[in-house]
Amino acid sequence: MQNNRSIPQAFFKLSTQVVHFLGLPLFFLLFLLVYKPEGIIKFLSEGNVYMEFNVTILTTILLLVLVGTRLAFYFLRNKLNLTPFFYAGWCVGEIFLFACFGAMYMTLITIGQTVQYSYFYALPRSLIDFFGILILPYLLIEMGTMIYAHSREAEEPAGDDNLIRFKDSSQKLKLAVAASSLLYVEANENYVNIVYLDGSSVKKYQLRSSMKRLEDMLPKQGIQRCQRAFFVNPSHVTVLRKDASGFVFADLDTPGCPPIPVSKTYYDSLAALL
């Protein structure tokens, strides 16, 4: 989904998720082993084990948490309200989840020791310490992703503003069609079928994308949604008619095109454009 408040599509790529669940644990591990901040090291040194062992276990916990949350983010990306505020909350939630598991580990490892942590002591300590360590790599990754997204946008040819540029789920340009040539777009499971005129011939292109990804782009080019699974170009609609069963269909001016279903939700807005 793209709107004025949405984050760039580069944030949704699988490679971006891999950078998170590999880069963040690596930074966490190296930061603690190299810089050894006194307060955090003292907190992690309790228990009858070496500090390095605790750091390794916590790094593994962070890796597992991020693998889970980042894969969930990737697979749910089309169903979430992906605003910058939501994304920031998702990142903070990852640190909070890691702190919860980290505090649980530190509580268990100190059972029976001279200094024994309660969970409600370990949790706020974990939140403060882990957030302080991870905020920098998070910011670096998000800034890098934003720079990458803007550089990709800058590389795209300016072209004709009347062209509709269809991109796949990885934001690669797959098809550019003049708005006046587009006939309709139809949902087809994990794909959309784009039907358009190439001269006098009707062509169909199957794109791996979703209707949700198109719902903000197409109306800007005058292409209207007419049913949950269809967008139609009003300039090619000759008539809206009702069949014997009471269902409404849009007939197009191009031979060979099937009638396009129109739902009650979108009937008035489409009729107003004819």
Side-chain angles (χ1 to χ4, degrees):
M1 179 174 62
Q2 281 278 26
N3 53 44
N4 290 336
R5 297 182 301 164
S6 63
I7 60 178
Q9 293 295 323
F11 283 84
F12 311 143
K13 296 178 64 175
L14 182 59
S15 58
T16 303
Q17 315 320 316
V18 173
V19 169
H20 279 84
F21 63 67
L22 292 182
L24 290 167
L26 181 61
F27 181 92
F28 180 81
L29 177 66
L30 293 178
F31 181 86
L32 288 175
L33 294 182
V34 173
Y35 290 100
K36 293 183 169 61
E38 184 177 351
I40 300 176
I41 293 302
K42 184 177 185 304
F43 172 62
L44 299 180
S45 296
E46 301 297 342
N48 192 24
V49 294
Y50 291 109
M51 181 274 297
E52 289 80 2
F53 180 82
N54 285 339
V55 172
T56 302
I57 295 298
L58 289 170
T59 301
T60 303
I61 292 173
L62 176 58
L63 174 63
L64 294 175
V65 167
L66 288 170
V67 167
T69 58
R70 284 289 148 177
L71 289 180
F73 179 82
Y74 176 75
F75 288 113
L76 294 174
R77 63 193 184 280
N78 291 330
K79 300 180 180 179
L80 300 174
N81 181 25
L82 295 170
T83 63
F85 181 78
F86 180 94
Y87 185 74
W90 186 281
C91 295
V92 172
E94 289 176 334
I95 299 177
F96 179 78
L97 189 60
F98 169 48
C100 289
F101 284 111
M104 186 182 301
Y105 170 76
M106 293 306 299
T107 301
L108 294 174
I109 205 69
T110 58
I111 292 177
Q113 303 300 313
T114 304
V115 178
Q116 182 172 329
Y117 294 153
S118 71
Y119 184 76
F120 295 104
Y121 167 78
L123 180 58
R125 281 296 308 269
S126 297
L127 282 170
I128 294 171
D129 292 343
F130 299 161
F131 187 85
I133 295 172
L134 293 173
I135 185 63
L136 178 59
Y138 261 106
L139 289 175
L140 291 176
I141 292 174
E142 311 320 332
M143 288 175 59
T145 305
M146 186 67 72
I147 292 172
Y148 169 80
H150 286 304
S151 67
R152 285 294 300 270
E153 290 178 0
E155 291 173 1
E156 292 183 0
D160 185 350
D161 288 339
N162 291 322
L163 284 179
I164 302 177
R165 295 174 174 82
F166 292 95
K167 302 176 183 179
D168 63 13
S169 55
S170 62
Q171 288 301 288
K172 292 183 180 178
L173 182 63
K174 294 296 184 179
L175 179 69
V177 178
S180 60
S181 297
L182 185 64
L183 296 172
Y184 66 92
V185 178
E186 176 186 10
N188 182 14
E189 295 183 350
N190 295 324
Y191 295 83
V192 294
N193 293 326
I194 303 162
V195 182
Y196 62 98
L197 287 172
D198 184 4
S200 59
S201 302
V202 176
K203 297 290 184 69
K204 179 186 289 188
Y205 185 88
Q206 190 174 71
L207 176 72
R208 186 173 182 83
S209 186
S210 66
M211 298 295 274
K212 195 168 186 178
R213 289 184 179 275
L214 304 179
E215 64 186 4
D216 290 317
M217 176 183 73
L218 293 180
K220 293 177 182 177
Q221 298 287 351
I223 312 302
Q224 297 300 309
R225 193 160 203 162
C226 60
Q227 200 250 13
R228 184 178 62 85
F230 284 88
F231 283 94
V232 69
N233 189 341
S235 64
H236 288 284
V237 176
T238 57
V239 66
L240 297 178
R241 60 176 176 82
K242 185 179 294 186
D243 68 4
S245 300
F247 295 105
V248 178
F249 291 88
D251 289 334
L252 304 187
D253 60 5
T254 305
C257 284
I260 308 301
V262 179
S263 68
K264 293 180 180 179
T265 303
Y266 301 102
Y267 177 85
D268 289 339
S269 59
L270 179 59
L273 298 173
L274 302 182

